[in-house]
Amino acid sequence: MALKVTTPVQMRFEDIDSFGHVNNIAQQSYFDLGKSALFQRLWQAVGEKDATPVMMVSVQTDFLRQIRYGDQIEVTTLIESIGTKSLTLQQQILLRGEVCSRSRVVMVCYDKERGASVEVPDSWRKMVE
């Protein structure tokens, strides 16, 4: 897939546990930063004024290496695949190119008024493929 976004992360003091490590909940918020950056770029690229909402329906995260206070990390986010109503994202938290954590997320396009999932817009599919 063509769309990949790299997002630098600014650690906050509250992200650190008593051992000086970034806690797992904070890492999930870093992944959220990456998702936000990816969808903002996608919505801008296809010219959506009122962006089609998406919601997470599944997430799996592997924590492979400790992240310590002061580490200069970044999140990479890419669209791995697009289904009829869903997208699968692949994300990594990297420290100097080494994977610290990785996450796979399934997101569904959603119509708030109807309270139901909807098909992925064709404009998204064209942008990514």
Side-chain angles (χ1 to χ4, degrees):
M1 296 286 162
L3 188 60
K4 179 178 179 181
V5 174
T6 300
T7 309
V9 174
Q10 180 182 7
M11 256 181 233
R12 300 166 302 229
F13 185 73
E14 67 187 24
D15 298 344
I16 310 305
D17 64 19
S18 60
F19 299 107
H21 307 133
V22 173
N23 69 56
N24 294 355
I25 294 169
Q27 291 185 50
Q28 292 300 325
S29 71
Y30 299 164
F31 286 130
D32 285 346
L33 289 171
K35 283 189 273 303
S36 295
L38 179 124
F39 281 104
Q40 183 174 4
R41 181 170 298 165
L42 177 65
W43 292 327
Q44 288 174 345
V46 299
E48 283 195 22
K49 290 182 182 176
D50 298 316
T52 303
V54 291
M55 67 168 52
M56 280 196 308
V57 295
S58 176
V59 63
Q60 178 185 351
T61 303
D62 298 313
F63 301 98
L64 306 170
R65 179 186 186 283
Q66 295 178 5
I67 302 171
R68 298 187 177 276
Y69 183 71
D71 285 346
Q72 300 297 308
I73 57 174
E74 60 187 11
V75 175
T76 60
T77 306
L78 64 89
I79 297 175
E80 179 181 283
S81 63
I82 297 180
T84 303
K85 296 182 178 183
S86 67
L87 303 99
T88 300
L89 306 182
Q90 189 180 99
Q91 296 187 278
Q92 297 180 328
I93 297 176
L94 302 171
L95 173 62
R96 293 184 297 277
E98 184 177 339
V99 179
C100 300
S101 303
R102 63 179 173 229
S103 186
R104 195 166 196 211
V105 181
V106 178
M107 303 194 79
V108 172
C109 294
Y110 192 76
D111 182 327
K112 293 184 284 188
E113 290 178 14
R114 290 187 7 223
S117 60
V118 295
E119 290 191 11
V120 174
D122 287 335
S123 60
W124 294 16
R125 200 176 300 283
K126 289 176 186 170
M127 173 67 187
V128 173
E129 295 173 347

